[in-house]
């Protein structure tokens, strides 16, 4: 008999892990860090959920899904990403998907995106440089054209800010629990 649901996650600073833990609890799923995932075992689940953080437009660890699609073909497959793209910003999320997948690779995967957290003290020099560029880009916009998220990033620059919110996972939990007929 096949196992029901597994959540596999790749997290740098803890936001993706937090969402994965919430999903695992709410869906009564097994939780596996990306580095410990064994594809042969994942293929034994009805539902595989992969969570990856987004850095510079790339979903970290997504190769696990992309390189093993044939083995995971019998599974319902979900991918959730965590980053600074505002949930519901379809154009920005589309750019992330286009950067990580070829057109045919998206078929059969259901996607969700959640906001993460920033801790400038934990960032690598490369990440800090990218955040400086983001800050300059936001500052060039007139205040009235900045999103709430962009304003928060400017306010928190150099410190910490946490946008994680358990309510973001509700639609994904409902999809997972609704079963394969959905």
């Amino acid at each position: 008999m096949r196992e029901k649901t597994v959540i596999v996650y790749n997290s740098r600073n803890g936001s993706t892990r937090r969402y994965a833990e919430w999903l695992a609890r709410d869906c009564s799923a097994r939780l596996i860090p990306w580095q410990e995932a064994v594809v042969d075992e994942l293929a034994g689940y009805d539902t595989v959920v992969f969570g990856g953080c987004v850095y510079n437009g790339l979903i970290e660890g997504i190769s696990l899904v992309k390189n093993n699609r044939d083995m995971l073909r019998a599974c319902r497959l979900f991918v959730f990403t965590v980053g600074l793209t505002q949930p519901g910003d379809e154009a920005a999320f589309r750019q992330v998907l286009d950067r990580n997948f070829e057109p045919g690779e998206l078929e059969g995967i259901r996607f969700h995106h959640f906001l993460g957290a920033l801790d400038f003290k934990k960032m690598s020099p490369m990440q800090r440089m990218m955040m400086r560029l983001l800050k300059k880009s936001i500052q060039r916009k007139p205040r009235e054209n900045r999103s709430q998220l962009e304003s928060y990033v400017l306010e928190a620059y150099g410190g910490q800010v946490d946008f994680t919110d358990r309510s973001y996972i509700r639609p994904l939990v409902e999809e997972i629990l609704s079963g394969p007929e959905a």
Side-chain angles (χ1 to χ4, degrees):
M1 180 154 154
R2 290 170 64 94
E3 297 273 349
K4 187 111 176 111
T5 303
V6 63
I7 313 287
V8 180
Y9 68 94
N10 185 356
S11 186
R12 262 194 199 191
N13 297 317
S15 297
T16 307
R17 182 185 68 239
R18 185 177 312 142
Y19 282 116
E21 289 169 348
W22 289 337
L23 284 165
R25 265 187 243 126
D26 290 0
C27 297
S28 300
R30 181 171 175 211
L31 183 65
I32 303 174
W34 172 79
Q35 307 88 307
E36 297 173 19
V38 176
V39 177
D40 290 340
E41 291 176 15
L42 298 180
Y45 285 86
D46 292 325
T47 302
V48 175
V49 181
F50 174 80
C53 48
V54 178
Y55 282 98
N56 196 25
L58 298 174
I59 305 168
E60 295 202 351
I62 198 63
S63 59
L64 178 74
V65 173
K66 291 177 59 162
N67 295 342
N68 296 291
R69 284 304 299 275
D70 288 341
M71 291 188 73
L72 300 174
R73 191 85 41 215
C75 307
R76 285 191 317 147
L77 191 54
F78 295 88
V79 171
F80 73 89
T81 58
V82 179
L84 288 182
T85 300
Q86 184 73 39
D89 185 342
E90 295 299 323
F93 190 62
R94 183 84 231 164
Q95 289 178 341
V96 170
L97 293 180
D98 289 347
R99 185 141 187 223
N100 287 273
F101 293 93
E102 297 298 319
E105 293 176 323
L106 297 170
E107 188 176 324
I109 304 175
R110 299 177 203 175
F111 293 91
H112 292 264
H113 178 73
F114 312 133
L115 277 172
L118 293 171
D119 186 345
F120 288 84
K121 292 179 181 88
K122 291 182 180 178
M123 289 183 180
S124 70
M126 177 62 94
Q127 290 171 314
R128 285 190 195 116
M129 182 190 74
M130 291 172 61
M131 289 307 299
R132 272 193 303 277
L133 294 173
L134 177 61
K135 177 185 174 189
K136 287 180 182 180
S137 171
I138 294 170
Q139 287 175 324
R140 282 194 292 270
K141 290 183 176 182
R143 280 191 197 285
E144 61 273 6
N145 292 349
R146 293 177 191 160
S147 71
Q148 186 67 48
L149 178 61
E150 289 170 330
S151 297
Y152 287 147
V153 168
L154 286 180
E155 289 171 24
Y157 186 82
Q160 295 177 342
V161 63
D162 189 346
F163 299 112
T164 58
D165 185 335
R166 191 176 182 132
S167 69
Y168 289 140
I169 70 168
R170 197 168 298 127
L172 177 52
V173 169
E174 289 172 6
E175 259 190 278
I176 292 168
L177 295 178
S178 70
E181 308 79 42

